[in-house]
Amino acid sequence: MNNKLYGKLIFELSHPGRRAYSLPKNRFGHYELSEDMRRSEDAMLPECDEMTVVRHYTNHSENNFGVDNGFYPLGSCTMKYNPTINEEIAALPSFCNLHPLQPEETVQGALEVEYRLQQALASLTGMSDFTLNPCAGAHGELTGLMIIRSYHESRGDMKRTKVIVPDSAHGTNPASAAVCGCEVIEVTSTADGLVDLDNLKELIKENGPEIAAMMMTNPNTLGLFERQIPEISRVVHECGGLMYYDGANLNPMLGAVRPADMGFDVMHVNLHKTFSTPHGGGGPGDGPVGVIKGLEEFLPKPHVVYHSDTSTYSILHNPAEEAGDYNLEANYIGAFLGNFLVIIRALAYILSLGREHIKMVGPLATLNANYIKESLKDDYELPIEGLCKHEFVFDGLRDKSTGVTTMDVAKRLLDYGYHAPTIYFPLLFHEAMMIEPTENESKDTIDRFIDVMHIISKEAMEKPELVKNAPHNTPIGRVDDVLAARHPIVTYRQLMAES
Ligand SMILES: *Cc1c(COP(=O)(O)O)cnc(C)c1O
Protein backbone atom coordinates (compact mmCIF):
# COMPACT_ATOMS: atom_id res chain seq x y z
CA MET A 1 0.00 0.00 0.00
CA ASN A 2 2.75 2.34 0.97
CA ASN A 3 5.56 1.87 -1.53
CA LYS A 4 8.13 4.07 0.15
CA LEU A 5 8.00 1.78 3.22
CA TYR A 6 8.96 -1.30 1.15
CA GLY A 7 5.28 -1.82 0.31
CA LYS A 8 4.61 -2.79 3.90
CA LEU A 9 2.00 -1.76 6.43
CA ILE A 10 3.22 -0.07 9.59
CA PHE A 11 2.16 -3.19 11.52
CA GLU A 12 4.39 -5.33 9.34
CA LEU A 13 7.38 -3.09 10.15
CA SER A 14 6.77 -3.46 13.88
CA HIS A 15 9.39 -5.03 16.20
CA PRO A 16 8.52 -5.79 19.81
CA GLY A 17 10.15 -3.28 22.12
CA ARG A 18 11.21 -0.80 19.42
CA ARG A 19 10.49 2.80 20.48
CA ALA A 20 9.92 6.10 18.68
CA TYR A 21 9.94 8.23 21.82
CA SER A 22 11.73 8.75 25.08
CA LEU A 23 10.02 10.27 28.08
CA PRO A 24 11.72 12.12 30.93
CA LYS A 25 12.13 10.20 34.15
CA ASN A 26 8.85 10.03 36.10
CA ARG A 27 9.17 12.41 39.04
CA PHE A 28 5.56 12.19 40.16
CA GLY A 29 5.32 8.71 41.60
CA HIS A 30 3.14 5.84 40.51
CA TYR A 31 -0.60 6.12 40.07
CA GLU A 32 -2.65 2.97 39.98
CA LEU A 33 -5.77 3.07 37.73
CA SER A 34 -8.71 1.20 39.13
CA GLU A 35 -9.36 -2.23 37.62
CA ASP A 36 -12.57 -1.22 35.78
CA MET A 37 -10.73 1.52 33.89
CA ARG A 38 -7.93 -0.74 32.67
CA ARG A 39 -7.68 -2.80 29.48
CA SER A 40 -7.84 -6.53 29.98
CA GLU A 41 -5.07 -6.99 27.40
CA ASP A 42 -2.48 -4.72 25.78
CA ALA A 43 -3.63 -2.71 22.74
CA MET A 44 -2.25 -4.10 19.50
CA LEU A 45 -0.07 -1.20 18.36
CA PRO A 46 2.88 -1.19 15.97
CA GLU A 47 6.26 -0.62 17.60
CA CYS A 48 8.57 1.29 15.27
CA ASP A 49 11.45 3.75 15.29
CA GLU A 50 10.79 7.48 14.95
CA MET A 51 11.80 7.82 11.27
CA THR A 52 9.48 4.99 10.24
CA VAL A 53 6.58 6.66 12.06
CA VAL A 54 7.31 10.02 10.42
CA ARG A 55 7.50 8.40 6.96
CA HIS A 56 4.32 6.43 7.60
CA TYR A 57 2.28 9.59 8.25
CA THR A 58 3.99 11.73 5.60
CA ASN A 59 3.42 9.09 2.92
CA HIS A 60 -0.22 8.83 3.91
CA SER A 61 -0.64 12.60 3.62
CA GLU A 62 0.90 12.49 0.14
CA ASN A 63 -1.56 9.83 -0.98
CA ASN A 64 -4.40 12.09 0.04
CA PHE A 65 -6.19 14.37 -2.41
CA GLY A 66 -7.36 17.81 -1.32
CA VAL A 67 -8.38 21.20 -2.68
CA ASP A 68 -4.85 22.41 -1.99
CA ASN A 69 -3.24 19.90 -4.37
CA GLY A 70 -5.71 19.58 -7.21
CA PHE A 71 -9.02 20.52 -8.85
CA TYR A 72 -11.90 18.98 -6.90
CA PRO A 73 -15.21 19.34 -8.83
CA LEU A 74 -17.25 17.21 -6.39
CA GLY A 75 -20.85 18.34 -6.96
CA SER A 76 -23.00 19.38 -3.98
CA CYS A 77 -19.91 19.47 -1.76
CA THR A 78 -18.62 22.96 -2.65
CA MET A 79 -14.94 22.02 -2.36
CA LYS A 80 -13.79 25.60 -2.50
CA TYR A 81 -10.50 27.16 -1.46
CA ASN A 82 -10.05 27.59 2.29
CA PRO A 83 -7.90 30.70 2.61
CA THR A 84 -4.83 30.04 4.73
CA ILE A 85 -5.39 33.20 6.76
CA ASN A 86 -8.48 31.54 8.29
CA GLU A 87 -6.26 28.71 9.52
CA GLU A 88 -3.82 31.14 11.06
CA ILE A 89 -6.56 32.99 12.89
CA ALA A 90 -8.19 29.77 14.10
CA ALA A 91 -4.78 28.59 15.35
CA LEU A 92 -4.17 31.63 17.59
CA PRO A 93 -3.39 30.37 21.11
CA SER A 94 -5.90 32.82 22.58
CA PHE A 95 -8.62 30.90 20.70
CA CYS A 96 -7.20 27.37 20.85
CA ASN A 97 -6.48 27.29 24.55
CA LEU A 98 -9.95 28.25 25.79
CA HIS A 99 -12.07 25.89 27.84
CA PRO A 100 -15.84 25.79 27.25
CA LEU A 101 -16.56 25.94 30.99
CA GLN A 102 -14.48 29.08 31.58
CA PRO A 103 -16.34 31.98 33.26
CA GLU A 104 -18.07 34.25 30.72
CA GLU A 105 -16.10 37.34 31.69
CA THR A 106 -12.86 35.59 30.65
CA VAL A 107 -14.10 34.63 27.15
CA GLN A 108 -15.75 37.83 25.95
CA GLY A 109 -13.71 37.78 22.71
CA ALA A 110 -14.81 34.24 21.89
CA LEU A 111 -18.43 35.10 22.62
CA GLU A 112 -18.11 38.14 20.37
CA VAL A 113 -16.92 35.84 17.54
CA GLU A 114 -19.98 33.63 18.04
CA TYR A 115 -22.35 36.59 18.23
CA ARG A 116 -20.91 38.33 15.19
CA LEU A 117 -21.20 35.16 13.13
CA GLN A 118 -24.84 34.72 14.23
CA GLN A 119 -25.44 38.30 13.05
CA ALA A 120 -23.51 37.93 9.79
CA LEU A 121 -25.40 34.77 8.84
CA ALA A 122 -28.69 36.47 9.70
CA SER A 123 -27.84 39.38 7.45
CA LEU A 124 -26.75 37.14 4.54
CA THR A 125 -29.92 35.02 4.73
CA GLY A 126 -32.61 37.40 5.98
CA MET A 127 -33.21 35.23 9.04
CA SER A 128 -33.73 36.86 12.44
CA ASP A 129 -31.27 34.82 14.52
CA PHE A 130 -29.01 31.76 14.31
CA THR A 131 -27.80 28.99 16.58
CA LEU A 132 -24.28 27.74 15.88
CA ASN A 133 -24.68 24.56 17.95
CA PRO A 134 -25.35 21.85 15.30
CA CYS A 135 -22.14 20.26 14.05
CA ALA A 136 -23.07 19.33 10.45
CA GLY A 137 -25.62 19.99 7.73
CA ALA A 138 -27.68 16.91 8.56
CA HIS A 139 -27.48 17.81 12.26
CA GLY A 140 -28.81 21.25 11.32
CA GLU A 141 -31.69 19.68 9.38
CA LEU A 142 -32.68 17.66 12.43
CA THR A 143 -32.41 20.77 14.64
CA GLY A 144 -34.53 22.79 12.20
CA LEU A 145 -37.23 20.12 12.04
CA MET A 146 -37.29 19.90 15.85
CA ILE A 147 -37.76 23.69 15.93
CA ILE A 148 -40.65 23.35 13.49
CA ARG A 149 -42.21 20.58 15.58
CA SER A 150 -41.87 22.69 18.75
CA TYR A 151 -43.52 25.59 16.97
CA HIS A 152 -46.54 23.50 15.91
CA GLU A 153 -46.82 21.90 19.34
CA SER A 154 -46.65 25.29 21.05
CA ARG A 155 -49.85 26.18 19.19
CA GLY A 156 -51.44 22.93 20.34
CA ASP A 157 -51.33 21.59 16.75
CA MET A 158 -50.16 18.03 17.34
CA LYS A 159 -51.21 16.46 14.02
CA ARG A 160 -48.47 17.95 11.83
CA THR A 161 -46.14 14.99 11.34
CA LYS A 162 -45.63 14.94 7.55
CA VAL A 163 -42.74 16.56 5.69
CA ILE A 164 -42.74 17.15 1.92
CA VAL A 165 -39.40 16.49 0.22
CA PRO A 166 -38.67 16.75 -3.55
CA ASP A 167 -37.53 13.56 -5.31
CA SER A 168 -34.32 15.41 -6.27
CA ALA A 169 -33.45 16.13 -2.61
CA HIS A 170 -30.16 15.32 -0.95
CA GLY A 171 -30.48 12.01 0.92
CA THR A 172 -30.05 13.70 4.29
CA ASN A 173 -33.41 15.51 3.91
CA PRO A 174 -35.71 12.47 4.09
CA ALA A 175 -33.32 10.85 6.57
CA SER A 176 -33.45 13.85 8.96
CA ALA A 177 -37.25 13.98 8.68
CA ALA A 178 -37.44 10.28 9.56
CA VAL A 179 -35.02 10.70 12.49
CA CYS A 180 -37.27 13.50 13.75
CA GLY A 181 -40.18 11.04 13.74
CA CYS A 182 -41.90 12.55 10.68
CA GLU A 183 -43.41 10.82 7.70
CA VAL A 184 -41.80 11.78 4.38
CA ILE A 185 -44.00 12.61 1.39
CA GLU A 186 -42.15 12.85 -1.92
CA VAL A 187 -43.08 15.51 -4.47
CA THR A 188 -42.04 14.73 -8.04
CA SER A 189 -39.98 16.84 -10.45
CA THR A 190 -41.05 18.00 -13.89
CA ALA A 191 -39.09 17.09 -17.04
CA ASP A 192 -37.10 20.32 -16.66
CA GLY A 193 -35.89 19.29 -13.22
CA LEU A 194 -38.00 21.58 -11.02
CA VAL A 195 -40.61 20.82 -8.32
CA ASP A 196 -43.90 19.82 -9.99
CA LEU A 197 -46.29 22.44 -8.64
CA ASP A 198 -49.39 20.48 -9.69
CA ASN A 199 -48.18 17.42 -7.81
CA LEU A 200 -47.37 19.60 -4.80
CA LYS A 201 -50.86 21.08 -4.79
CA GLU A 202 -52.39 17.59 -4.92
CA LEU A 203 -50.26 16.44 -1.98
CA ILE A 204 -51.30 19.49 -0.01
CA LYS A 205 -54.95 18.90 -0.82
CA GLU A 206 -54.68 15.32 0.51
CA ASN A 207 -52.52 16.00 3.57
CA GLY A 208 -52.96 19.74 4.38
CA PRO A 209 -53.68 19.70 8.15
CA GLU A 210 -50.94 17.10 8.74
CA ILE A 211 -48.13 18.92 6.94
CA ALA A 212 -45.40 20.19 9.27
CA ALA A 213 -43.03 21.51 6.62
CA MET A 214 -41.61 21.31 3.15
CA MET A 215 -37.82 20.90 2.85
CA MET A 216 -36.12 22.34 -0.22
CA THR A 217 -32.77 23.45 -1.48
CA ASN A 218 -32.61 26.26 -4.01
CA PRO A 219 -30.77 25.97 -6.36
CA ASN A 220 -31.79 22.31 -6.23
CA THR A 221 -29.40 19.37 -6.53
CA LEU A 222 -29.44 19.71 -10.33
CA GLY A 223 -28.02 23.21 -9.90
CA LEU A 224 -31.31 24.72 -11.12
CA PHE A 225 -33.01 27.70 -9.53
CA GLU A 226 -36.58 26.84 -8.51
CA ARG A 227 -38.29 29.77 -10.21
CA GLN A 228 -41.69 28.94 -8.72
CA ILE A 229 -40.41 29.34 -5.18
CA PRO A 230 -42.78 32.22 -4.24
CA GLU A 231 -45.78 30.14 -5.29
CA ILE A 232 -44.42 27.00 -3.58
CA SER A 233 -43.92 28.92 -0.31
CA ARG A 234 -47.39 30.41 -0.63
CA VAL A 235 -49.21 27.09 -0.96
CA VAL A 236 -47.23 25.48 1.87
CA HIS A 237 -47.86 28.43 4.20
CA GLU A 238 -51.52 28.49 3.23
CA CYS A 239 -51.98 24.95 4.54
CA GLY A 240 -50.22 25.85 7.82
CA GLY A 241 -46.82 24.28 7.07
CA LEU A 242 -43.43 25.97 7.36
CA MET A 243 -40.73 26.17 4.68
CA TYR A 244 -37.35 24.63 5.52
CA TYR A 245 -34.30 25.68 3.47
CA ASP A 246 -31.45 23.21 3.07
CA GLY A 247 -28.72 25.85 2.79
CA ALA A 248 -25.92 23.48 1.78
CA ASN A 249 -26.29 25.04 -1.69
CA LEU A 250 -26.10 28.64 -0.47
CA ASN A 251 -22.79 29.36 -2.25
CA PRO A 252 -24.31 30.63 -5.55
CA MET A 253 -26.89 32.69 -3.65
CA LEU A 254 -24.43 34.62 -1.45
CA GLY A 255 -25.30 38.27 -1.62
CA ALA A 256 -27.75 37.63 -4.49
CA VAL A 257 -30.90 36.18 -2.88
CA ARG A 258 -31.83 35.68 0.75
CA PRO A 259 -33.72 32.50 1.69
CA ALA A 260 -36.06 34.52 3.93
CA ASP A 261 -37.12 36.55 0.87
CA MET A 262 -37.93 33.32 -0.97
CA GLY A 263 -40.39 32.46 1.81
CA PHE A 264 -38.28 30.13 3.94
CA ASP A 265 -38.85 30.14 7.72
CA VAL A 266 -36.10 27.87 9.04
CA MET A 267 -32.78 26.94 7.44
CA HIS A 268 -29.28 25.62 7.98
CA VAL A 269 -26.01 26.58 6.36
CA ASN A 270 -22.92 24.42 6.01
CA LEU A 271 -19.96 26.41 7.31
CA HIS A 272 -17.79 23.60 5.90
CA LYS A 273 -19.09 24.20 2.37
CA THR A 274 -20.03 27.83 1.81
CA PHE A 275 -17.88 29.38 4.52
CA SER A 276 -14.54 27.82 3.80
CA THR A 277 -13.76 25.17 6.39
CA PRO A 278 -11.77 22.26 4.94
CA HIS A 279 -13.97 19.20 4.65
CA GLY A 280 -14.08 15.75 3.17
CA GLY A 281 -13.18 12.72 5.21
CA GLY A 282 -15.94 13.48 7.65
CA GLY A 283 -15.39 16.72 9.48
CA PRO A 284 -15.25 18.68 11.66
CA GLY A 285 -17.97 20.94 10.30
CA ASP A 286 -20.74 23.14 11.59
CA GLY A 287 -24.38 23.48 10.54
CA PRO A 288 -25.83 26.68 12.05
CA VAL A 289 -29.64 26.95 11.98
CA GLY A 290 -31.49 30.21 11.42
CA VAL A 291 -35.13 31.15 11.97
CA ILE A 292 -37.27 34.08 10.91
CA LYS A 293 -38.78 36.59 13.32
CA GLY A 294 -41.26 34.98 15.67
CA LEU A 295 -39.48 31.62 15.90
CA GLU A 296 -36.40 32.73 17.89
CA GLU A 297 -37.71 31.30 21.16
CA PHE A 298 -37.46 27.79 19.67
CA LEU A 299 -33.72 28.01 18.96
CA PRO A 300 -31.75 25.59 21.13
CA LYS A 301 -29.52 26.77 23.96
CA PRO A 302 -26.81 27.56 24.95
CA HIS A 303 -27.06 30.75 22.89
CA VAL A 304 -24.87 33.86 22.85
CA VAL A 305 -26.57 37.22 23.43
CA TYR A 306 -25.26 40.79 23.47
CA HIS A 307 -26.10 43.43 26.08
CA SER A 308 -25.77 46.84 24.48
CA ASP A 309 -26.09 48.68 27.81
CA THR A 310 -22.88 47.12 29.16
CA SER A 311 -21.30 46.13 25.79
CA THR A 312 -20.89 42.58 27.09
CA TYR A 313 -21.80 39.12 25.84
CA SER A 314 -23.33 36.30 27.82
CA ILE A 315 -24.62 32.78 27.27
CA LEU A 316 -28.28 31.89 27.66
CA HIS A 317 -28.40 28.40 29.14
CA ASN A 318 -31.29 26.02 29.01
CA PRO A 319 -33.37 25.71 32.18
CA ALA A 320 -32.40 22.08 32.88
CA GLU A 321 -28.74 22.98 32.73
CA GLU A 322 -29.29 25.92 35.06
CA ALA A 323 -30.91 23.49 37.49
CA GLY A 324 -27.65 21.51 37.41
CA ASP A 325 -28.74 18.76 35.00
CA TYR A 326 -25.90 18.27 32.56
CA ASN A 327 -27.55 15.35 30.78
CA LEU A 328 -26.18 16.04 27.31
CA GLU A 329 -28.55 13.81 25.42
CA ALA A 330 -31.73 15.21 26.90
CA ASN A 331 -30.93 18.91 26.97
CA TYR A 332 -28.68 19.81 24.07
CA ILE A 333 -28.60 19.51 20.31
CA GLY A 334 -24.83 19.83 20.58
CA ALA A 335 -22.52 20.29 23.53
CA PHE A 336 -21.51 23.89 24.23
CA LEU A 337 -21.45 26.38 21.35
CA GLY A 338 -20.72 24.40 18.18
CA ASN A 339 -17.35 23.67 16.61
CA PHE A 340 -15.62 26.84 17.71
CA LEU A 341 -12.60 26.77 15.38
CA VAL A 342 -14.91 26.24 12.40
CA ILE A 343 -16.94 29.23 13.56
CA ILE A 344 -13.79 31.39 13.71
CA ARG A 345 -12.84 30.39 10.15
CA ALA A 346 -16.31 31.30 8.88
CA LEU A 347 -16.25 34.73 10.49
CA ALA A 348 -12.69 35.39 9.26
CA TYR A 349 -13.79 34.40 5.74
CA ILE A 350 -16.88 36.63 5.75
CA LEU A 351 -15.01 39.63 7.18
CA SER A 352 -12.03 39.27 4.84
CA LEU A 353 -14.32 39.22 1.78
CA GLY A 354 -16.51 42.01 3.08
CA ARG A 355 -19.94 43.11 1.93
CA GLU A 356 -18.86 43.95 -1.64
CA HIS A 357 -16.71 40.94 -2.48
CA ILE A 358 -18.96 38.31 -0.96
CA LYS A 359 -21.43 39.24 -3.70
CA MET A 360 -18.93 38.01 -6.30
CA VAL A 361 -18.92 34.44 -4.96
CA GLY A 362 -22.25 33.39 -6.47
CA PRO A 363 -21.83 34.96 -9.93
CA LEU A 364 -18.30 33.55 -10.35
CA ALA A 365 -19.30 30.04 -9.22
CA THR A 366 -22.23 30.23 -11.64
CA LEU A 367 -20.07 31.47 -14.51
CA ASN A 368 -17.53 28.66 -14.02
CA ALA A 369 -20.22 25.96 -13.92
CA ASN A 370 -21.98 27.22 -17.06
CA TYR A 371 -18.67 27.52 -18.93
CA ILE A 372 -17.81 23.87 -18.24
CA LYS A 373 -21.34 22.70 -19.07
CA GLU A 374 -21.47 24.49 -22.42
CA SER A 375 -17.93 23.40 -23.35
CA LEU A 376 -18.61 19.71 -22.75
CA LYS A 377 -22.20 19.18 -23.79
CA ASP A 378 -21.30 17.81 -27.24
CA ASP A 379 -19.37 14.95 -25.59
CA TYR A 380 -21.49 14.41 -22.49
CA GLU A 381 -25.25 14.10 -22.36
CA LEU A 382 -26.89 17.17 -20.86
CA PRO A 383 -30.40 16.06 -19.87
CA ILE A 384 -31.62 19.55 -19.00
CA GLU A 385 -30.58 22.45 -21.23
CA GLY A 386 -30.32 26.05 -20.11
CA LEU A 387 -28.56 28.10 -17.47
CA CYS A 388 -27.52 26.43 -14.24
CA LYS A 389 -26.25 27.92 -11.00
CA HIS A 390 -23.12 26.61 -9.24
CA GLU A 391 -23.32 23.04 -10.54
CA PHE A 392 -24.93 20.87 -13.20
CA VAL A 393 -25.52 17.23 -13.98
CA PHE A 394 -24.51 15.22 -17.06
CA ASP A 395 -26.12 11.86 -17.75
CA GLY A 396 -22.94 10.04 -18.78
CA LEU A 397 -21.21 10.16 -22.15
CA ARG A 398 -23.34 11.14 -25.12
CA ASP A 399 -22.20 8.09 -27.10
CA LYS A 400 -23.69 5.21 -25.11
CA SER A 401 -22.57 2.54 -27.63
CA THR A 402 -19.04 2.29 -26.17
CA GLY A 403 -20.29 0.81 -22.87
CA VAL A 404 -18.12 3.30 -20.96
CA THR A 405 -20.00 4.36 -17.82
CA THR A 406 -19.91 7.38 -15.55
CA MET A 407 -17.96 5.25 -13.05
CA ASP A 408 -15.30 4.59 -15.73
CA VAL A 409 -14.98 8.30 -16.57
CA ALA A 410 -14.68 9.14 -12.86
CA LYS A 411 -11.90 6.55 -12.42
CA ARG A 412 -10.07 7.74 -15.54
CA LEU A 413 -10.11 11.34 -14.24
CA LEU A 414 -7.99 10.13 -11.29
CA ASP A 415 -5.27 9.13 -13.76
CA TYR A 416 -5.15 12.72 -14.99
CA GLY A 417 -4.80 14.08 -11.45
CA TYR A 418 -8.36 15.27 -10.82
CA HIS A 419 -10.75 14.36 -8.06
CA ALA A 420 -13.85 12.72 -9.55
CA PRO A 421 -17.16 14.59 -9.70
CA THR A 422 -20.10 13.34 -7.61
CA ILE A 423 -21.47 10.31 -9.44
CA TYR A 424 -24.78 8.45 -9.50
CA PHE A 425 -26.46 11.30 -7.59
CA PRO A 426 -29.04 12.79 -7.92
CA LEU A 427 -31.02 9.64 -8.64
CA LEU A 428 -33.10 11.23 -11.41
CA PHE A 429 -30.67 10.00 -14.10
CA HIS A 430 -28.99 6.61 -14.51
CA GLU A 431 -25.48 7.89 -15.23
CA ALA A 432 -25.49 11.12 -13.21
CA MET A 433 -22.21 13.03 -13.05
CA MET A 434 -22.49 16.19 -10.95
CA ILE A 435 -19.85 18.85 -11.50
CA GLU A 436 -19.29 21.88 -9.24
CA PRO A 437 -16.15 23.92 -9.98
CA THR A 438 -16.64 26.70 -7.31
CA GLU A 439 -15.67 30.34 -7.76
CA ASN A 440 -11.97 30.05 -6.94
CA GLU A 441 -10.70 28.19 -10.00
CA SER A 442 -8.90 30.14 -12.73
CA LYS A 443 -9.87 29.89 -16.39
CA ASP A 444 -6.60 28.01 -17.04
CA THR A 445 -7.47 25.31 -14.51
CA ILE A 446 -10.95 24.96 -15.91
CA ASP A 447 -9.74 24.88 -19.53
CA ARG A 448 -7.32 22.07 -18.66
CA PHE A 449 -10.14 20.11 -17.00
CA ILE A 450 -12.32 20.59 -20.08
CA ASP A 451 -9.46 19.33 -22.31
CA VAL A 452 -9.09 16.21 -20.18
CA MET A 453 -12.83 15.53 -20.27
CA HIS A 454 -12.65 15.78 -24.10
CA ILE A 455 -9.68 13.40 -24.15
CA ILE A 456 -11.54 10.85 -22.00
CA SER A 457 -14.56 11.04 -24.27
CA LYS A 458 -12.28 10.36 -27.25
CA GLU A 459 -10.57 7.50 -25.43
CA ALA A 460 -13.99 6.01 -24.69
CA MET A 461 -14.65 5.79 -28.44
CA GLU A 462 -11.19 4.73 -29.59
CA LYS A 463 -9.77 2.68 -26.69
CA PRO A 464 -12.74 1.90 -24.41
CA GLU A 465 -10.80 -0.77 -22.47
CA LEU A 466 -8.32 1.88 -21.32
CA VAL A 467 -11.15 3.82 -19.64
CA LYS A 468 -12.99 0.75 -18.38
CA ASN A 469 -9.88 -0.50 -16.56
CA ALA A 470 -8.87 2.88 -15.11
CA PRO A 471 -7.30 4.06 -12.90
CA HIS A 472 -3.81 3.05 -14.01
CA ASN A 473 -1.64 5.62 -12.16
CA THR A 474 -2.98 5.49 -8.59
CA PRO A 475 -1.48 3.49 -5.69
CA ILE A 476 -4.52 1.19 -5.77
CA GLY A 477 -6.53 0.26 -8.87
CA ARG A 478 -10.23 -0.43 -8.89
CA VAL A 479 -11.58 -1.64 -5.57
CA ASP A 480 -14.66 -3.77 -5.13
CA ASP A 481 -16.96 -1.00 -3.84
CA VAL A 482 -19.76 -3.35 -2.86
CA LEU A 483 -17.47 -5.68 -0.91
CA ALA A 484 -15.78 -2.70 0.74
CA ALA A 485 -19.14 -1.31 1.84
CA ARG A 486 -20.69 -4.62 2.92
CA HIS A 487 -17.63 -6.14 4.51
CA PRO A 488 -15.14 -3.43 5.42
CA ILE A 489 -11.81 -4.50 6.91
CA VAL A 490 -10.66 -1.51 8.91
CA THR A 491 -8.17 -2.91 11.46
CA TYR A 492 -5.00 -4.93 11.15
CA ARG A 493 -6.36 -7.40 13.70
CA GLN A 494 -9.34 -8.03 11.39
CA LEU A 495 -7.03 -8.40 8.40
CA MET A 496 -4.99 -11.02 10.28
CA ALA A 497 -8.12 -12.87 11.35
CA GLU A 498 -9.36 -12.98 7.74
CA SER A 499 -6.18 -14.18 6.10
C1 LIG B 1 -23.75 18.27 2.03
C2 LIG B 1 -25.22 18.44 1.94
C3 LIG B 1 -26.04 18.17 3.05
C4 LIG B 1 -25.55 17.55 4.35
O1 LIG B 1 -24.51 18.21 5.00
P1 LIG B 1 -23.52 17.41 5.97
O2 LIG B 1 -22.71 18.45 6.65
O3 LIG B 1 -22.74 16.48 5.11
O4 LIG B 1 -24.38 16.65 6.96
C5 LIG B 1 -27.41 18.41 2.91
N1 LIG B 1 -27.93 18.87 1.75
C6 LIG B 1 -27.16 19.12 0.66
C7 LIG B 1 -27.80 19.65 -0.60
C8 LIG B 1 -25.78 18.90 0.71
O5 LIG B 1 -25.03 19.14 -0.37
Side-chain angles (χ1 to χ4, degrees):
M1 198 173 164
N2 206 328
N3 299 330
K4 290 172 207 150
L5 288 176
Y6 329 107
K8 287 190 169 172
L9 296 172
I10 187 88
F11 285 94
E12 293 163 336
L13 296 167
S14 172
H15 294 278
R18 197 165 278 185
R19 290 280 174 271
Y21 67 89
S22 57
L23 293 177
K25 210 172 153 66
N26 177 5
R27 292 181 290 118
F28 303 103
H30 191 66
Y31 181 80
E32 201 60 45
L33 275 179
S34 65
E35 191 67 40
D36 61 328
M37 295 177 85
R38 264 185 274 161
R39 290 177 172 279
S40 52
E41 52 186 299
D42 284 345
M44 193 167 121
L45 297 173
E47 298 175 74
C48 295
D49 59 285
E50 185 168 336
M51 260 322 333
T52 301
V53 176
V54 168
R55 286 179 184 147
H56 168 73
Y57 283 109
T58 306
N59 288 328
H60 268 316
S61 75
E62 285 174 0
N63 282 337
N64 201 4
F65 191 99
V67 189
D68 286 356
N69 59 2
F71 182 48
Y72 207 136
L74 191 67
S76 204
C77 291
T78 312
M79 303 304 288
K80 65 201 252 179
Y81 174 55
N82 310 295
T84 309
I85 187 164
N86 302 345
E87 296 302 318
E88 287 189 16
I89 295 171
L92 290 175
S94 46
F95 284 136
C96 288
N97 296 339
L98 298 178
H99 192 282
L101 292 177
Q102 250 173 267
E104 278 170 12
E105 60 273 21
T106 68
V107 289
Q108 287 293 304
L111 298 186
E112 181 179 351
V113 168
E114 295 255 342
Y115 183 78
R116 289 185 67 174
L117 185 63
Q118 289 168 195
Q119 298 288 101
L121 293 176
S123 120
L124 282 165
T125 58
M127 296 285 142
S128 170
D129 201 358
F130 265 85
T131 170
L132 309 181
N133 300 3
C135 289
H139 197 193
E141 291 169 22
L142 175 64
T143 307
L145 290 169
M146 289 167 77
I147 288 171
I148 290 171
R149 188 174 61 195
S150 302
Y151 159 75
H152 288 309
E153 286 177 2
S154 76
R155 300 180 299 114
D157 192 346
M158 315 304 267
K159 286 196 309 294
R160 294 194 180 266
T161 54
K162 296 185 176 173
V163 173
I164 303 175
V165 178
D167 59 3
S168 64
H170 193 266
T172 51
N173 291 185
S176 301
V179 170
C180 194
C182 298
E183 188 188 324
V184 176
I185 317 180
E186 197 173 271
V187 57
T188 51
S189 301
T190 59
D192 43 353
L194 303 173
V195 165
D196 184 338
L197 199 55
D198 293 333
N199 184 230
L200 178 65
K201 286 179 177 166
E202 267 166 48
L203 294 175
I204 287 181
K205 204 188 251 169
E206 281 164 32
N207 302 282
E210 290 167 276
I211 291 182
M214 172 161 183
M215 299 179 86
M216 271 183 82
T217 182
N218 196 16
N220 64 24
T221 58
L222 298 171
L224 302 172
F225 188 79
E226 299 273 1
R227 288 186 301 275
Q228 312 234 50
I229 190 64
E231 179 66 359
I232 293 173
S233 297
R234 194 186 64 74
V235 297
V236 171
H237 284 147
E238 206 172 69
C239 86
L242 296 187
M243 288 294 287
Y244 182 87
Y245 183 68
D246 172 347
N249 287 339
L250 189 67
N251 208 45
M253 299 288 101
L254 273 185
V257 181
R258 302 185 311 170
D261 300 333
M262 294 191 255
F264 289 99
D265 305 291
V266 181
M267 66 173 291
H268 79 267
V269 295
N270 281 38
L271 296 190
H272 47 294
K273 288 180 182 168
T274 315
F275 297 101
S276 107
T277 267
H279 64 293
D286 209 69
V289 170
V291 295
I292 58 161
K293 204 157 191 50
L295 294 175
E296 298 97 329
E297 63 178 292
F298 302 106
L299 285 174
K301 303 200 178 47
H303 189 66
V304 177
V305 289
Y306 177 60
H307 309 279
S308 52
D309 48 342
T310 51
S311 304
T312 54
Y313 299 89
S314 66
I315 305 175
L316 286 182
H317 292 279
N318 65 51
E321 186 190 6
E322 275 178 344
D325 177 3
Y326 285 96
N327 179 347
L328 280 181
E329 250 175 71
N331 297 329
Y332 297 87
I333 193 69
F336 308 117
L337 292 161
N339 269 328
F340 184 54
L341 301 184
V342 176
I343 288 164
I344 295 173
R345 288 187 186 97
L347 185 64
Y349 176 72
I350 292 170
L351 294 180
S352 58
L353 283 185
R355 196 178 286 272
E356 282 311 307
H357 292 110
I358 211 157
K359 289 189 189 151
M360 302 286 292
V361 169
L364 288 175
T366 300
L367 176 65
N368 283 351
N370 279 288
Y371 178 55
I372 298 179
K373 168 172 66 67
E374 292 303 312
S375 306
L376 290 175
K377 69 179 189 185
D378 290 341
D379 290 17
Y380 296 84
E381 189 175 332
L382 181 64
I384 297 170
E385 284 278 351
L387 281 178
C388 64
K389 292 289 175 229
H390 60 309
E391 66 190 3
F392 61 92
V393 180
F394 282 136
D395 189 8
L397 282 155
R398 195 168 275 279
D399 180 357
K400 300 275 188 270
S401 70
T402 64
V404 172
T405 63
T406 281
M407 175 66 86
D408 302 330
V409 174
K411 296 288 185 195
R412 186 66 178 141
L413 271 170
L414 308 183
D415 281 338
Y416 287 102
Y418 293 99
H419 194 283
T422 294
I423 57 172
Y424 300 106
F425 175 80
L427 306 176
L428 299 179
F429 312 112
H430 287 301
E431 290 291 323
M433 185 189 294
M434 189 183 200
I435 296 177
E436 178 181 10
T438 85
E439 67 279 10
N440 302 118
E441 301 299 340
S442 70
K443 181 160 180 297
D444 295 343
T445 302
I446 289 181
D447 281 334
R448 243 174 277 138
F449 174 72
I450 291 168
D451 286 346
V452 164
M453 289 290 280
H454 282 310
I455 293 171
I456 295 175
S457 143
K458 206 153 157 244
E459 286 174 348
M461 284 181 273
E462 291 165 5
K463 293 174 273 185
E465 291 311 311
L466 180 70
V467 187
K468 286 183 188 173
N469 295 319
H472 306 281
N473 305 336
T474 51
I476 299 176
R478 240 180 238 220
V479 293
D480 184 335
D481 292 334
V482 176
L483 187 67
R486 296 266 158 82
H487 188 66
I489 296 178
V490 292
T491 65
Y492 186 64
R493 191 190 290 268
Q494 214 183 339
L495 180 70
M496 295 291 41
E498 304 267 330
S499 55

